[in-house]
Every structure is written in C-alpha cells, then in structure tokens.
Amino acid sequence: MSMSQQQVQEHMMTYLESTECRIIEKSPWHVTVKLSPQADKQLTNRPYYWGFVERTGVEPETLSFTFVFDPEQYDKKEQLNASQQPQQDSILSRYFGTAPMVPQIGPGRIQREDVVYGSSRLQQIWNAARQEGSCLYLFEQPAALQRETLFSAAYEPWLGICYKVEMACDVKKEELHFVGISLVTGRIVSPFPERLRGLALSPRLPENIHIQPASISLPQAASLLEGYMTRLLAEMDYGWAEQARERLNEELAVIDIYYEDLLKEPDEEKLAAIREQYSNRRSETTWQYEPKVHLSVITCGLFHLRSIR
Amino acid sequence: MNTSQPSASGQPQELPVPLHIDRSWIEQLNSRLEKGGPWGDWRLAQLAIQGEEARLVTSFDELQCLKHLQGLSPLPHQLDTAHRVLFEMSGRAILADEVGLGKTIEAGMILKEYMIRGLVSKVLILVPASLVLQWVRELNSKFGIPAVAQKKAYTWHSDVVVASIDTAKRDPHKDFLLEQEYDMLIIDEAHKLKNKKTTNYQFIQKLRKKYCLLLTATPVQNDMSELFNLITLLKPGQLGRQGDFATNFVVGKRQPKNQDQLKDELAKVMIRNRRGEGPVHFTKRHVSNVNLQLSPEEQALYDGVTAFVKDQYKASGGNLSSMLSLVTLQREVCSSRDAVFLTLVNLSKKIPDESPLTAKVWELVNAIRAIKANTKAEKTIELIKQMNEKVIVFTEYRATQEYLLQYFQKHGLICVPYRGGMNRGKKDWMMDLFRGRAQVMIATEAGGEGINLQFCHHMINFDLPWNPMRVEQRIGRVHRLGQQKDVQIYNLSTSGTIEEHILHLLHEKINMFEMVIGGLDVILEHFEKQESLEKSLYKMFLESDSNEEIRQKVSNLGQTLDQIKRQVEVDYESTSMREEEA
C-alpha cells in the first residue's frame, strides 16, 4: 500500500495538531510549523539540548520546519514569490545596490523538508505516535442530553487491542487485527473499530455515568483475546509455511551432501572445525527459512463505552 | 462485525508453526492503571495504526521498496535482479553484473526491501577501505538506510555498519564480529575471496549470517575453482562436492564443461547482467589529443629537470625507491612551472647548504623565473572558450590547480576547485557551484569519493597520470550511467617530453580512452602480476639514454599490454558465446 500526498499531509497534520505544534503557515502543498516541546523531543533528536533545558530551567527554543508535501507545486509558488520580490526592493537597491540573499541560519531559521511516503520523517512520526498512543484509557463522550437526564448512564469497560501478525520465513507477510473484549460480558468484537465508529472518545470522565463492575479481570481478558487470536491464526492457510519447509529441507539436503565426505576427515583438529562449520551452516539455514508467526501489540487500552441494551 | 463467545474449553489451538506472542503490553497497561496514567492520545494511537497499515507488507512476493524510494528510478535489469534475489534465491546470491550496471543499486534495493519487511535489522557491509564512505553515502542518500562507517569499536553496535574487510578480520574486531548474528551480510569486490586458504575467506565463512550478497564484476578471473569457492561461501553444496564439481564441470583451468547444466546451477545463485544487453546504453567517447610545442624557456626547464633527475638516478646507483620525489619532479615539469617550483623549494630545504646540489637546484629555479607563459594553460583557455559549455579540467598537482584557478579567473571564467583534502561539505558545495554558476571545475582528484558529473560532458586532461586506472577514474566521473551526451575528452601533451610517450601508450597502444568501461582493471591485473605499470614506466624512463630508446621501450610495453588485452577479449567472447549457447 502506498499513500497519496493528501494522505501524507493528513497524517502529518494529525500528528502536529495532537502534539500541539503551532502552525505558522499552511497551503495545500506545505505547512510551516513551530514544534511543541513534546514534538521537538520526539522528532529532532536533541537529547543534550533538552537535558540542558531541564537542568537549567531556561525557556526552551523549539525548532521550526517547513514540511513540503508537493515539492513541485511548492517550488513553483516559491519561484513566483521570489521573482516578485526584487521589484519591491528597487528603491533600496538603487541606493545600496542589490545585496545577495543571505541564507538565514541560527535561531529562527526554518528548515525545509520534503515529506513523502517513504520519508524517514513520516516513519518517525508514526513511531512517535505509536509510542505516545501505546496505552489508552478512554470514555465515550455522551451527547449533551445525558447531563440533564436523571439517571446516570451505564458504561461498559472494554479491553481493546490492535494486534500485528507477522508471518515470516525467508519472506514475510503481515496483518493487523484490532479486537475488543467486554470486561462485563466477555463478548469479543472484531474488528473493534466498528464498535467505536461514530463515538467521541476522550480521556475525560463524563458526568452522570456509572461504570459497570467488571466480571472478567484484565489478565483473563488478555488470555481470552489471545485464545481468540490463536484460533483465528490456526484457521489461516499455511501453504506458505509448507513451501518454506520444503525449501528448507532442500537446502539442508544440499548441505548434508556437501559435508558428507568432508566429515570423514581423519585429522581430529580439522574434523572439529568442519563439524562446527557444518552445524553453523545448518543452523543459519534454519534461521533463514524456518516459518514462524509473531504476534505483537501496536496499541492497547481500556475503552469505557455506553452499554447497548 | 464478528462477535464470538469465548469457547468453553479456552484451549489454544495448535498452529502448524511456532507462535511467538509479545505480552509486554500487559505489564505496561497494569503499571499505568496503578499509577493512574499517563494515558496516550487517541488520535495518536489511531495515527499509529494507520501508519502500520500504510507500511503493512500485505503480500509475500511483491517488491515494496520502490514505493519507499523517491527519486530512485531503477533500470529494468536492476528491478529484475532484486526480484529474483528476494523471491527465487531467498536472499543469498552473487551479484555479478559487469562494471557500471549498478550492482550497488541492486544490493541497496534488496537490503531496503528486507528492512521494510522487518526481516533484516542487523547488517554488516564489508567493502574495500576506499569505498566505505561512498557506500555509507549511497545507502543514506539513495535508500534512506542509516548506515554508519566503522571508525571506533563502538560503531560495531550500530544496526547497519560499513567497514573494510581488512579491519573487520583483525583483532579485536574479529572476535566481536564472530559472536554476532547478522541478518544480512554484503561483501563488495567479492572476487578477492577466491582463495579458500586466506584469512579473509575463512573469516567470512565463520561469520553468522542469514541473508548474504556477494558483489563482483569478475566472478572468474583465473580458475574455475575460484567460482566454486565463492559459491561455497554462499551455499556450500550448490555445485556439489569439490570432487564432483571438478569431474562434472571442469575441463581445463578456465574451461568449463557440461555448460548447460553448470549454467542452470549457477543461475540459482548468481545473476550476471551484461553490458550491451537490454536497454542500458552508454554514450560514446570522443578523444582529441592536443599536441603542443613548448616555448623555448619551458623547453629549457624541461631539459634541465630531465638532466638533473637522470644524474641523481645514476648517482644513487639505480635505486628506484629513493628516487620517487625526483620522478615526481619529472612529471610535474610537464604540468606547470608552479608545481615544479614547489617541489624544488621543498627539495632545497632538505639538502645541506654546502652540497653541490644546491647550486643545481637554484639553476633550475632560475630557469623557472625565465618562463613567462604557460603554453598548456593558454591552449586550455582557447579550448574552453571554443566549447562554451561546462567542462572539468583534471590535473595531478595542487600547485597547478591553484595556478589555473587564478589564470582562468583572470580571463573571466568562473571556476571552482575540487580536491581530495576537502571535507565532504565543501566537496558537495563545489559540486553544487559547478552544477550552477561555474563553467569550469578544476579537480585534482577523481577516484574513490564518488563525484558524479553526468551534467557535464567535456573533460580536459591538463596532464596525464601514469597510472591508467586513474585516467579511467577521471573519465568515469563524466562517462557513466545517466550521461545523455557523447563525452568529449581532450588530452594535452607537449611534444618531445615524456608525456608524449605516456599518451602514446595509453591512447594508441591500449586504446583506453575508447575502451568499454571495465576492461581495463582486468588487463592491469594480469599485467601487474610482476610490477605495477607506473613503476615500469619510471624505470624505463630513468634508464633510457635517448628519446628513441624510450620510444622503443614504451612500444614494447604497449605490445605486452596489447597481447593481454587480446587474450582477455578472447576469454570474454568465449564465455559470452558459451553463455549464449546455453
């Protein structure tokens, strides 16, 4: 899957806005932004500077960037601006001559950076987002009416987990599964985002609600979800793994034949070296081809959702 | 939306493959529950998921890396190679394209693909010392791979390390490296691993690696067994046992048999794209030799220096190694008086005051004073003004470079210098200036550091290096993949000087200026088994009494080289014929 410039820009803006960066200028092709301290720490790789700020308590000076999403359009526009610039300065230059434009450096300098799918900057914000959003605790925000009703609304706690499944041998394939389990009923919902669709979620505890007591503990819920995932995985097509094993066995057979004669070496010392080589080569090959499945978690959290009766 | 009740048994079902579950999240969630936070931002969590979705590898066998590589448009054969290595060869292969077809690009794409797929994170890249920085730069700039050049012991801990093999195999690095497990090992110039008994070979054999790429333009140089050794490094047994290989596939040293079968076996581990196949197109080289007549004053200096050098050589009893600075003097006198002057001054500092040499040196310095104009520089200006396009001027000497800079500027040409001693930033700056405003670049360095000047197709050799590889490197700066126009090469030489002979040798005898790129290194390797070409030339020059004698000797040398060249061509054609037949 690839991404359009539009999507890249959306991702970037989501990050910048949720980390409370100050947008200075924006066009369909670019955004100029002064980073918030949080974003600066995550993106600019200046641990010493931030260490200095924390120790001395000085006012931090965060960096500014111009992120360009459509370099072609942006350059065109910039050129247009630049060509109009000198005319405005004609009176000054008549008296002082045209001074060459000095590139701005030091504080206040705004670095330009092109951001497209595949840019390391985009990877970086995804990774930062993953770190920042790894553990959640959220409440469904009720409509305005709820505050005025007499009865408090019942809220059901859910454990939601976004799993990443990696199927690997000498090649690899991945899947994402976002699943949720109710801590009250034990009902499992997949994909969980469909249950969340249209809901406003926020860490703020809404007024006039009560949370139903959980009948399932967190560890229980976790193992139930794991069981669910395992069953899901067990039903997958494992043709890829069979093929990988075939390749593995072929490779091992080739190695075995090669070393068969060599292992008849009479000299003890040489033989030991050959044995070691042989077992290394075998284990390397297994490492390379052996099929395996890896299950990890992108994000997890407790979601308090209004019970549906 | 699927909903399901947890099954009563709760027994996890058996998977046909090992399942590894990362449960660290439970701990994290619990500890935050205890402390009451801090809690993540929902928008960021969604962004993280979208990011994962965008990067998800949804298919086992489709190249993902292209979408991640902006500004890189690989050629069809490079794409095809990457595809085959990944999906047919399972990531262990010899990339044996002929020189100039972009093996590095192929290796970079394969590495990038594995990294995107999360199959590779720890990488070791072993290359000749002179190429370390170039590799690092290419991986960083073209592929966005954060490669690091090995400098200190702790750099080994980086994920992607580029190092020279000679460093890596030595203590204390060796022991550390042998304890590691590398997801990917890449070795450039892998033909140096043809001998099983060398420490390099044994070291590589011991390294633990999952995927492995060996890059070489010349997989077979002398002996079929070299190929066998190379493949054994990668996949022992691919060509059978050593004995089987000899009986099944080898007739003479360089003569394979059962070619069809061998070719099939080789195709499983080796990819060799050839020049002239497919759409890879190189433009032509046009060579003009500009013969100049020295002015009487310049001639006087030349003769003076020549006599001086020869006298010294005789006095030293034919000891070549002590003569190097004097030979340099001889070469410099063909370039500019400035270059000679500097060397003479340094020389006079070294010899004691009362020595009779001092007088001779000052005699030469006076000869320099008499020179008012530089014949070559005048001609160069004339050439540049005629072509009226971007041009790169190569000289061997700093002093000449300085002189030319001044001289050109005085004549209203915008020019920039380029030399090996500049740091990377300055080099890049100079290149940018040359790409932009400057018409002329004056360079003293051509090799190693990868300056790519495809936008320029004129070059002037103000003086000639005596080492043909350096000449080739110079030409390679402008004549490479991506050059759209035919390349114009001007060689300046002055008649009656040693330079004339060198040019004669390089141009008429080896015909190197028009040779297909890549043939030269093979020829030189064959020739230089005894002695380097440069050294042979020094000797020849110092030991000859007359111009005629030099001419004769250079001519003999040319014949030897010509023979080697023919032999190489015959070999080349017979192998390609064989490959075509098969």
Side-chain angles (χ1 to χ4, degrees):
Chain A
M1 179 180 154
S2 184
M3 290 168 73
S4 65
Q5 284 166 6
Q6 183 66 32
Q7 286 169 311
V8 170
Q9 188 168 10
E10 278 167 21
H11 279 208
M12 206 68 196
M13 293 311 294
T14 307
Y15 177 81
L16 296 175
E17 280 162 15
S18 30
T19 51
E20 292 167 351
C21 298
R22 194 162 61 83
I23 313 287
I24 299 168
E25 191 184 89
K26 195 173 174 310
S27 80
W29 314 291
H30 86 288
V31 60
T32 301
V33 65
K34 184 169 170 64
L35 298 180
S36 65
Q38 180 194 5
D40 191 292
K41 281 180 205 169
Q42 285 166 353
L43 300 186
T44 62
N45 191 23
R46 303 191 293 166
Y48 294 112
Y49 175 70
W50 284 104
F52 162 76
V53 168
E54 265 148 40
R55 277 195 320 270
T56 58
V58 295
E59 192 63 27
E61 178 65 36
T62 59
L63 296 185
S64 298
F65 285 93
T66 295
F67 295 116
V68 177
F69 307 106
D70 188 337
E72 225 171 275
Q73 290 289 342
Y74 180 76
D75 285 341
K76 244 190 238 166
K77 198 193 75 179
E78 284 294 285
Q79 259 169 17
L80 208 68
N81 287 352
S83 63
Q84 285 162 356
Q85 212 80 38
Q87 290 164 359
Q88 293 164 352
D89 277 342
S90 60
I91 300 173
L92 272 180
S93 57
R94 196 176 304 153
Y95 292 100
F96 300 105
T98 29
M101 288 284 280
V102 183
Q104 216 180 357
I105 46 171
R109 178 174 94 115
I110 297 179
Q111 283 184 50
R112 173 192 168 158
E113 200 177 289
D114 295 352
V115 181
V116 289
Y117 179 76
S119 299
S120 59
R121 185 63 75 190
L122 197 58
Q123 311 275 334
Q124 201 187 16
I125 68 145
W126 284 334
N127 293 341
R130 184 171 169 178
Q131 232 167 30
E132 291 290 303
S134 64
C135 275
L136 304 166
Y137 198 80
L138 297 167
F139 296 92
E140 176 183 337
Q141 297 302 307
L145 265 177
Q146 171 61 26
R147 255 178 265 156
E148 284 146 34
T149 56
L150 276 173
F151 302 102
S152 83
Y155 267 52
E156 189 180 359
W158 290 76
L159 173 65
I161 297 182
C162 182
Y163 282 109
K164 183 174 180 179
V165 182
E166 297 167 76
M167 289 154 269
C169 47
D170 53 321
V171 284
K172 190 172 164 193
K173 188 179 150 179
E174 299 168 336
E175 285 175 7
L176 285 187
H177 294 271
F178 198 165
V179 293
I181 181 169
S182 160
L183 298 184
V184 177
T185 62
R187 195 166 68 101
I188 291 177
V189 170
S190 170
F192 192 46
E194 289 193 17
R195 174 70 179 82
L196 304 176
R197 184 179 293 161
L199 305 182
L201 294 167
S202 146
R204 197 173 62 85
L205 179 70
E207 299 155 30
N208 202 15
I209 67 152
H210 66 275
I211 292 164
Q212 292 173 311
S215 61
I216 298 170
S217 74
L218 206 55
Q220 273 175 324
S223 80
L224 284 173
L225 281 184
E226 228 171 63
Y228 173 80
M229 282 307 295
T230 320
R231 260 173 285 126
L232 197 78
L233 293 179
E235 282 158 20
M236 280 187 327
D237 176 15
Y238 281 90
W240 63 272
E242 269 164 47
Q243 285 165 14
R245 288 227 169 90
E246 265 168 42
R247 288 196 292 273
L248 173 62
N249 289 334
E250 271 170 36
E251 294 292 325
L252 288 178
V254 166
I255 295 170
D256 289 346
I257 293 173
Y258 178 80
Y259 282 99
E260 195 184 303
D261 278 1
L262 292 174
L263 287 168
K264 290 174 190 152
E265 173 70 46
D267 184 336
E268 271 303 316
E269 222 171 281
K270 276 189 200 157
L271 183 65
I274 292 168
R275 275 217 185 100
E276 196 194 330
Q277 217 185 74
Y278 174 52
S279 76
N280 278 348
R281 191 60 202 102
R282 275 195 73 114
S283 71
E284 265 176 30
T285 310
T286 315
W287 177 25
Q288 186 182 358
Y289 290 94
E290 178 68 18
K292 49 206 161 272
V293 175
H294 186 81
L295 193 61
S296 57
V297 169
I298 307 291
T299 177
C300 65
L302 289 173
F303 295 76
H304 303 89
L305 309 178
R306 196 184 168 126
S307 308
I308 301 171
R309 291 284 160 200
Chain B
M1 177 162 35
N2 303 317
T3 64
S4 81
Q5 296 299 317
S7 61
S9 66
Q11 272 300 314
Q13 263 161 293
E14 272 301 301
L15 258 58
V17 298
L19 170 66
H20 179 260
I21 303 177
D22 180 1
R23 294 195 181 87
S24 55
W25 63 274
I26 300 180
E27 218 170 285
Q28 261 203 48
L29 188 60
N30 266 328
S31 99
R32 294 199 196 198
L33 277 171
E34 268 167 34
K35 288 184 220 150
W39 296 109
D41 185 298
W42 174 229
R43 276 179 303 173
L44 287 179
Q46 284 172 303
L47 179 61
I49 295 170
Q50 284 167 3
E52 288 294 332
E53 270 168 0
R55 288 183 278 185
L56 212 59
V57 182
T58 48
S59 151
F60 278 113
D61 48 7
E62 185 188 307
L63 279 185
Q64 310 279 322
C65 63
L66 293 177
K67 296 176 269 183
H68 291 257
L69 300 172
Q70 308 290 331
L72 181 85
S73 34
L75 296 162
H77 74 269
Q78 293 168 335
L79 272 176
D80 186 53
T81 302
H83 207 273
R84 277 179 64 196
V85 171
L86 279 151
F87 305 121
E88 289 171 30
M89 300 175 164
S90 306
R92 278 191 177 232
I94 299 175
L95 304 181
D97 289 3
E98 286 179 359
V99 178
L101 293 183
K103 287 186 287 293
T104 321
I105 301 283
E106 292 166 1
M109 278 168 56
I110 294 164
L111 176 58
K112 182 77 180 178
E113 180 71 27
Y114 276 126
M115 293 183 87
I116 291 171
R117 287 178 175 257
L119 285 166
V120 162
S121 57
K122 237 180 139 28
V123 185
L124 180 63
I125 299 170
L126 297 176
V127 307
S130 58
L131 296 179
V132 169
L133 287 178
Q134 196 180 335
W135 265 88
V136 169
R137 215 171 299 126
E138 291 223 342
L139 288 177
N140 278 298
S141 63
K142 287 199 183 125
F143 296 97
I145 296 174
V148 175
Q150 196 277 330
K151 281 195 192 112
K152 299 265 164 58
Y154 63 79
T155 30
W156 290 123
H157 295 279
S158 308
D159 275 343
V160 184
V161 183
V162 185
S164 90
I165 187 164
D166 293 314
T167 312
K169 71 169 181 197
R170 274 200 310 261
D171 289 328
H173 311 297
K174 180 180 146 197
D175 293 336
F176 176 82
L177 292 178
L178 288 179
E179 278 169 22
Q180 306 302 304
E181 290 192 333
Y182 285 100
D183 297 322
M184 168 90 95
L185 174 68
I186 298 177
I187 298 178
D188 197 5
E189 308 287 329
H191 52 267
K192 291 181 179 153
L193 299 170
K194 57 198 172 189
N195 186 346
K196 268 207 254 203
K197 301 208 169 71
T198 57
T199 49
N200 281 2
Y201 189 96
Q202 286 164 1
F203 172 66
I204 301 297
Q205 195 163 40
K206 277 190 202 147
L207 274 177
R208 291 180 50 72
K209 60 233 171 235
K210 181 159 71 166
Y211 306 105
C212 182
L213 299 177
L214 304 179
L215 279 54
T216 171
T218 47
V220 184
Q221 281 178 313
N222 300 313
D223 200 327
M224 286 293 288
S225 70
E226 292 172 5
L227 188 61
F228 182 81
N229 289 341
L230 214 52
I231 288 171
T232 301
L233 211 49
L234 205 65
K235 284 185 159 189
Q238 190 65 40
L239 298 179
R241 288 166 282 201
Q242 182 109 47
D244 297 348
F245 174 73
T247 45
N248 288 342
F249 296 120
V250 182
V251 183
K253 248 188 158 190
R254 316 178 65 166
Q255 213 64 48
K257 71 175 178 185
N258 293 335
Q259 277 152 19
D260 294 0
Q261 208 187 332
L262 178 60
K263 197 180 178 221
D264 286 349
E265 287 304 315
L266 280 181
K268 290 180 193 163
V269 283
M270 185 166 99
I271 297 177
R272 184 156 172 83
N273 294 307
R274 287 177 173 278
R275 197 176 284 285
E277 286 171 2
V280 184
H281 174 67
F282 280 87
T283 56
K284 285 198 193 111
R285 296 174 177 186
H286 297 292
V287 184
S288 335
N289 292 333
V290 183
N291 213 338
L292 300 169
Q293 200 65 45
L294 288 175
S295 68
E297 296 84 11
E298 284 172 319
Q299 187 68 46
L301 176 66
Y302 180 83
D303 292 342
V305 168
T306 309
F308 178 70
V309 171
K310 276 193 183 152
D311 285 352
Q312 293 303 307
Y313 182 62
K314 273 183 197 136
S316 77
N319 182 352
L320 192 66
S321 55
S322 66
M323 291 295 295
L324 281 179
S325 69
L326 287 176
V327 176
T328 311
L329 200 59
Q330 180 65 48
R331 294 170 48 185
E332 282 166 344
V333 74
C334 302
S335 179
S336 72
R337 59 176 197 149
D338 302 64
V340 189
F341 180 72
L342 216 66
T343 310
L344 280 179
V345 169
N346 286 336
L347 197 66
S348 74
K349 278 185 200 150
K350 272 187 221 149
I351 47 184
D353 284 345
E354 63 276 13
S355 159
L357 274 179
T358 320
K360 282 193 187 160
V361 168
W362 282 106
E363 210 174 284
L364 291 174
V365 171
N366 283 329
I368 289 177
R369 287 219 180 96
I371 297 173
K372 296 286 177 269
N374 186 321
T375 314
K376 274 182 165 181
E378 280 165 1
K379 184 69 194 173
T380 311
I381 285 266
E382 195 188 315
L383 282 171
I384 295 174
K385 292 208 162 144
Q386 263 171 26
M387 54 182 101
N388 200 22
E389 272 185 90
K390 295 217 182 277
V391 53
I392 179 162
V393 179
F394 278 106
T395 169
E396 287 278 276
Y397 309 103
R398 255 311 271 289
T400 307
Q401 185 186 35
E402 299 283 348
Y403 166 73
L404 287 179
L405 272 173
Q406 277 187 9
Y407 184 74
F408 287 176
Q409 263 154 10
K410 221 164 58 192
H411 285 74
L413 289 173
I414 304 179
C415 49
V416 290
Y418 188 95
R419 56 180 157 258
M422 289 175 172
N423 65 29
R424 191 65 222 168
K426 188 153 185 197
K427 280 182 180 172
D428 287 343
W429 185 31
M430 291 301 145
M431 289 234 276
D432 284 344
L433 284 175
F434 184 39
R435 195 174 292 122
R437 293 194 309 156
Q439 190 192 351
V440 188
M441 174 179 260
I442 305 172
T444 52
E445 184 210 56
E449 287 290 297
I451 43 172
N452 303 329
L453 305 168
Q454 289 99 326
F455 56 87
C456 157
H457 60 277
H458 292 282
M459 65 174 278
I460 297 177
N461 284 313
F462 191 80
D463 42 44
L464 277 177
W466 291 19
N467 178 346
M469 264 331 267
R470 279 183 63 83
V471 184
E472 182 56 46
Q473 278 169 346
R474 284 181 174 185
I475 302 172
R477 294 304 115 212
V478 288
H479 191 232
R480 48 175 41 239
L481 273 185
Q483 177 59 266
Q484 309 286 329
K485 298 194 174 137
D486 289 357
V487 173
Q488 302 285 346
I489 303 166
Y490 299 89
N491 298 311
L492 299 188
S493 86
T494 42
S495 50
T497 66
I498 181 74
E499 211 168 47
E500 198 185 5
H501 298 296
I502 304 286
L503 183 59
H504 178 70
L505 177 74
L506 296 181
H507 189 201
E508 319 256 304
K509 294 293 175 184
I510 333 185
N511 192 17
M512 72 156 295
F513 295 103
E514 274 143 19
M515 194 165 27
V516 216
I517 315 172
L520 186 68
D521 46 349
V522 184
I523 296 174
L524 284 182
E525 190 159 333
H526 280 273
F527 177 83
E528 295 187 341
K529 271 179 189 139
Q530 302 103 33
E531 192 174 35
S532 87
L533 182 63
E534 225 171 332
K535 238 182 182 172
S536 311
L537 283 171
Y538 285 157
K539 263 199 192 151
M540 215 174 271
F541 167 75
L542 287 166
E543 285 165 5
S544 305
D545 289 324
S546 70
N547 224 343
E548 199 37 53
E549 199 178 336
I550 299 180
R551 195 184 305 278
Q552 189 56 42
K553 282 181 177 167
V554 168
S555 168
N556 289 342
L557 184 69
Q559 265 163 20
T560 318
L561 284 170
D562 197 46
Q563 271 167 13
I564 295 174
K565 184 179 157 199
R566 274 165 215 274
Q567 183 58 43
V568 169
E569 274 168 1
V570 169
D571 287 356
Y572 177 85
E573 257 153 45
S574 65
T575 44
S576 39
M577 289 258 285
R578 266 180 255 128
E579 277 174 30
E580 272 157 30
E581 281 164 20

